[in-house]
DNA sequence: CTATTTATGTATCAACCGATACAGAAAGAT
DNA sequence: ATCTTTCTGTATCGGTTGATACATAAATAG
């Protein structure tokens, strides 16, 4: 890990170094704390006082480093995607077949959504985000787009599987993708209510039985 | 022992009528408005000003009719359960088999969660309630208990099906019940994101394929 | 009628919200 | 060392939150 965001290359540091007093706190570490707080309590319920206390800084420092509460939340979302989406989507991207990809997605979700040992809140920050529409329409639209992106990702992989012949042409790609998204979203709610990894893995197993039955022949409908 | 004659119990109406000025607004109608507002925006994001405006009353009247914002929310929860749970659980209770019960639950959920034509917000009020833990621990515990009650209801029906021989003794009742709860919970999130009834019904169909595969023989695991 | 009891509207409470003004402190540039 | 630039801590801004005090209006009981 790097210290306080200082860059390694020497020439760039000398050129880009600002003239005045450097920041006294680790911006990345503070962002990590803010991310966990937003992740745990949501946008509205997390106050500036909560954030400054968890980050160990005063409010002017917060507004100097990040522009506003909303901008900080957007950065927290990026931090979350950069640090945690790999746990869920890593094996999905590397899988050889769509079935393996989805199975990895659900199993890895079961593990990641319940991984509270290192201080992470249970459930997915994006799925559980309940930013109310009124007054924060921009954030709400951003969250909806993030959730829609997951559905697009699933549909793209399923379309590829149909094109490659892994899945029959009669597969209802949209319905199957939405089914996977439904299970993954529901797992976040169960995780927040205290369900453990093994319990969610069992849910994933039954979901994969639905996948198999649906993709076996004409969709089963 | 009462004298024969007046069965209507006119004494109760006369005796129970309060002496002073009667309430000028319909308490039940105001509770319905408050319920929809809480359902749409959640507990924290709904302010007293929002409530009084929607109900068409002033804040003193609100605090006279209901004790506090928290008490009003609890009454809204009861109103929600009394008026909307029948749409989802009605055919579940009347179904002859556990499979029919679960299928009815998921299909009726697909219809109810997307029924926004008469002003109802999409999704389930209980599932989507994201009352933050800190500061409102009592409400949070209540919501968790409500969600746990759904799981108990599913497990009880599955246990009965195993006892009656509908399902094989090797059925993993807890996992199957959690699977159904996961799908139903996930459907609320998709409904809030704009998914329609047909799309959720297709999800329910694939989920029932998972049910069939799991209950066919030894659980399939 | 008068007396009593309750609800309503206005106006406001203390506490907290997100966001800043200000002055002093700290560190590189020269 | 001095200057310049930036950050930090205190203290506070206007606005909103949930919740009330108060006086008034309204409706029943007698």
């Amino acid at each position: 890990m790097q210290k306080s965001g200082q860059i390694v290359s020497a020439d760039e540091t000398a050129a880009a170094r600002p003239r005045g007093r450097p920041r006294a706190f680790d911006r990345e570490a503070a962002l990590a704390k803010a991310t966990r707080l937003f992740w745990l309590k949501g946008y509205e319920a997390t106050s500036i006082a909560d954030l400054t206390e968890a980050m160990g800084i005063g409010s002017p420092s917060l507004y100097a480093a990040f522009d506003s509460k909303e901008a900080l939340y957007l950065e927290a979302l990026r931090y979350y995607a950069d640090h945690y989406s790999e746990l869920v989507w890593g094996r999905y991207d590397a899988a050889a077949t769509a079935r393996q990809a989805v199975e990895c997605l659900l199993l890895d979700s079961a593990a990641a959504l319940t991984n509270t040992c290192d201080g992470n809140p249970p459930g997915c920050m994006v799925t559980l985000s309940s930013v109310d529409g009124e007054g924060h329409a921009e954030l709400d639209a951003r969250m909806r787009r993030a959730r829609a992106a997951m559905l697009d990702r699933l549909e793209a992989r399923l379309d590829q599987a149909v094109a490659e012949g892994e899945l029959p042409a009669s597969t209802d790609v949209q319905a199957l993708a939405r089914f996977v998204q439904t299970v993954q979203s529901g797992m976040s709610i169960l995780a927040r209510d205290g369900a453990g990894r093994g319990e969610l893995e069992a849910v994933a197993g039954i979901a994969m039985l639905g996948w198999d039955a649906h993709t076996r022949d004409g969709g089963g409908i």
Side-chain angles (χ1 to χ4, degrees), chain A:
Chain A
M1 298 299 281
Q2 292 182 2
K3 268 195 169 180
S4 70
Q6 301 204 350
I7 316 174
V8 187
S9 75
D11 53 343
E12 198 174 336
T13 62
R17 171 140 48 190
R19 294 246 290 146
R21 173 182 181 178
R23 187 178 293 112
F25 63 93
D26 188 339
R27 190 182 191 277
E28 203 71 2
L31 180 56
K33 301 272 190 145
T35 301
R36 282 198 186 156
L37 218 51
F38 278 133
W39 185 358
L40 176 66
K41 306 180 62 174
Y43 178 75
E44 289 275 0
T46 304
S47 69
I48 299 291
D50 294 333
L51 292 166
T52 55
E53 182 184 354
M55 297 161 132
I57 62 177
S59 39
S61 301
L62 187 151
Y63 282 93
F66 318 89
D67 280 346
S68 64
K69 184 187 178 184
E70 191 165 327
L72 173 58
Y73 187 77
L74 291 177
E75 278 218 59
L77 272 182
R78 194 184 50 78
Y79 183 92
Y80 178 78
D82 289 345
H83 288 74
Y84 296 100
S85 65
E86 180 72 12
L87 297 175
V88 169
W89 293 96
R91 293 206 298 163
Y92 175 92
D93 290 329
T97 66
R99 190 198 183 281
Q100 284 178 12
V102 168
E103 188 172 29
C104 290
L105 173 69
L106 293 182
L107 289 178
D108 293 342
S109 294
L113 298 177
T114 58
N115 177 29
T116 56
C117 47
D118 42 324
N120 296 331
C124 170
M125 179 179 178
V126 177
T127 302
L128 295 179
S129 82
S130 66
V131 180
D132 55 332
E134 196 139 8
H136 295 280
E138 196 171 336
L139 282 185
D140 191 51
R142 165 72 70 106
M143 305 309 289
R144 283 174 189 271
R145 259 188 285 123
R147 288 189 287 264
M150 176 192 172
L151 186 63
D152 294 339
R153 204 165 177 175
L154 286 168
E155 287 184 2
R157 188 66 186 84
L158 294 186
D159 280 331
Q160 176 190 342
V162 171
E164 291 174 346
E166 178 196 343
L167 298 181
S170 63
T171 306
D172 189 342
V173 168
Q174 291 195 6
L176 195 54
R178 251 185 290 264
F179 171 72
V180 175
Q181 188 190 21
T182 301
V183 172
Q184 214 251 1
S185 300
M187 286 187 355
S188 277
I189 295 181
L190 266 72
R192 195 185 47 180
D193 278 351
R197 174 176 175 175
E199 295 167 342
L200 294 189
E201 284 175 342
V203 169
I206 301 179
M208 291 313 297
L209 293 179
W211 168 286
D212 289 334
H214 183 81
T215 59
R216 185 146 13 230
D217 49 356
I221 294 183

